[in-house]
């Protein structure tokens, strides 16, 4: 199977879902975060263009903020993003938005990649690293970074314990999964999940880690947006 994964020419083998439906409350602007200005373009343009030009990706589905389906379609047209198959309305949570996008994925899909629009600086090398483990018996793979700070568990304003850091990492997106595995994970309860891997882990799936990328910083606050813009 490994030789069929990731841009081997198999039509429709690898689908990318972009979770872009969040409101961006912490960014605090007059529009959803996916349409915040990053340089001259909406934030969403960056990951959309990068996935469009990634040879490992065959098809793209965008989960859009409610009411922003039309601007999302127009953006895909402007970018000549011909891999975009659908722009669906997202849900109330990230997991619901991913579920809505996943419903559009064709039966022929072997691999599904899920990415946050909030992480615009997606590099093809990360996608390449992620696909490796799927050919080696893993059902999923996530990019991770080491945690630099000392971590403490806190309750009611006081430290309860200092958590051993050596086994902890910070998980980013994109995350990749065998299509059947992700579908099974989303067939059950998914609401509290903050990432897709946690659902696959819960269902007993094996998820590998690969080296993440500090430039895949998630834009949460205006300061994050300024930092990512300086890296463009
Ligand atoms: N997301 C989504 N649907 C939701 C909530 C989030 O598709 N209902 C997406 C966001 O668009 C983002 C990613 O999930 O790309 C990570 O979410 P986050 O950074 O929390 O974005 P927002 O929820 O938009 O921001 P905030 O929490 O500040 O409102
Ligand atoms: Mg959020």
């Amino acid at each position: 199977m490994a030789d069929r994964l990731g841009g081997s020419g198999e039509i429709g083998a690898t689908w990318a879902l972009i979770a872009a439906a969040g409101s961006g409350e912490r960014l605090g602007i007059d529009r959803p975060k996916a349409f915040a200005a990053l340089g001259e373009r909406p934030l969403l343009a960056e990951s959309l263009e990068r996935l469009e030009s990634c040879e490992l990706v065959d098809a793209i589905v965008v989960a859009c903020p409610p009411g922003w389906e039309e601007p999302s379609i127009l953006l895909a047209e402007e970018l000549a993003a011909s891999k975009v198959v659908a722009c669906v309305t997202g849900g109330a949570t990230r997991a619901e938005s991913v579920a809505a996008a996943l419903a559009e994925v064709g039966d022929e899909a072997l691999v599904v990649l899920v990415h946050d629009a909030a992480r615009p600086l997606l590099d093809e090398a990360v996608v390449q690293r992620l696909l490796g483990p799927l050919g080696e018996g893993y059902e999923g793979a996530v990019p991770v970074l080491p945690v630099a700070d000392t971590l403490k568990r806190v309750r009611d304003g006081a430290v309860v314990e200092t958590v051993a850091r050596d086994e902890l990492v910070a998980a980013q997106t994109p995350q990749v999964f065998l299509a059947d595995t992700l579908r099974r994970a989303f067939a059950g309860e998914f609401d509290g999940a903050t990432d897709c891997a946690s659902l696959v882990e819960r269902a007993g799936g094996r998820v590998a880690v690969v080296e993440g990328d500090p430039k895949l910083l998630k834009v949460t606050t205006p300061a994050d947006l300024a930092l990512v813009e300086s890296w463009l």
Side-chain angles (χ1 to χ4, degrees):
M1 182 172 198
D3 57 322
R4 296 170 66 200
L5 298 177
S8 60
E10 180 110 346
I11 302 295
T14 301
W15 287 58
L17 313 183
I18 306 181
S23 59
E25 216 157 294
R26 289 168 289 180
L27 195 56
I29 58 168
D30 64 349
R31 60 191 61 206
K33 182 156 69 183
F35 287 88
L38 179 67
E40 310 272 276
R41 311 192 298 178
L43 189 77
L44 172 60
E46 207 61 42
S47 41
L48 193 50
E49 188 174 70
R50 287 161 187 250
L51 286 167
E52 172 71 26
S53 65
C54 178
E55 283 184 8
L56 301 166
V57 170
D58 300 299
I60 300 171
V61 181
V62 184
C64 315
W68 289 77
E69 300 82 357
E70 205 55 43
S72 302
I73 293 166
L74 286 174
L75 178 64
E77 282 172 8
E78 267 168 43
L79 296 171
S82 59
K83 292 178 187 172
V84 175
V85 172
C87 292
V88 300
T89 309
T93 63
R94 181 188 188 274
E96 280 180 42
S97 299
V98 173
L102 187 59
E104 300 293 323
V105 171
D107 292 340
E108 75 282 11
L110 294 173
V111 173
V112 178
L113 172 152
V114 186
H115 186 54
D116 290 334
R119 301 180 189 271
L121 300 188
L122 171 57
D123 191 301
E124 181 155 353
V126 176
V127 181
Q128 236 151 27
R129 286 202 287 279
L130 286 164
L131 290 171
L134 296 189
E136 296 160 6
Y138 286 94
E139 280 99 45
V142 301
V144 300
L145 290 178
V147 184
D149 297 318
T150 297
L151 298 175
K152 297 191 186 292
R153 191 181 313 280
V154 172
R155 213 168 290 147
D156 299 327
V159 174
V160 177
E161 66 166 327
T162 298
V163 185
R165 198 177 54 191
D166 46 327
E167 286 189 337
L168 296 180
V169 292
Q172 303 179 308
T173 76
Q175 301 185 344
V176 305
F177 306 94
L178 298 180
D180 290 343
T181 298
L182 194 63
R183 284 197 185 97
R184 271 198 303 276
F186 272 89
E189 192 63 38
F190 56 70
D191 223 36
T194 54
D195 78 349
C196 297
S198 60
L199 294 172
V200 172
E201 295 151 25
R202 200 195 295 163
R206 294 213 309 147
V207 178
V209 297
V210 304
E211 189 190 346
D213 183 349
K215 293 223 164 119
L216 271 173
L217 178 80
K218 186 162 84 161
V219 171
T220 304
T221 64
D224 298 329
L225 190 61
L227 184 56
V228 166
E229 191 160 341
S230 76
W231 289 341
L232 262 184

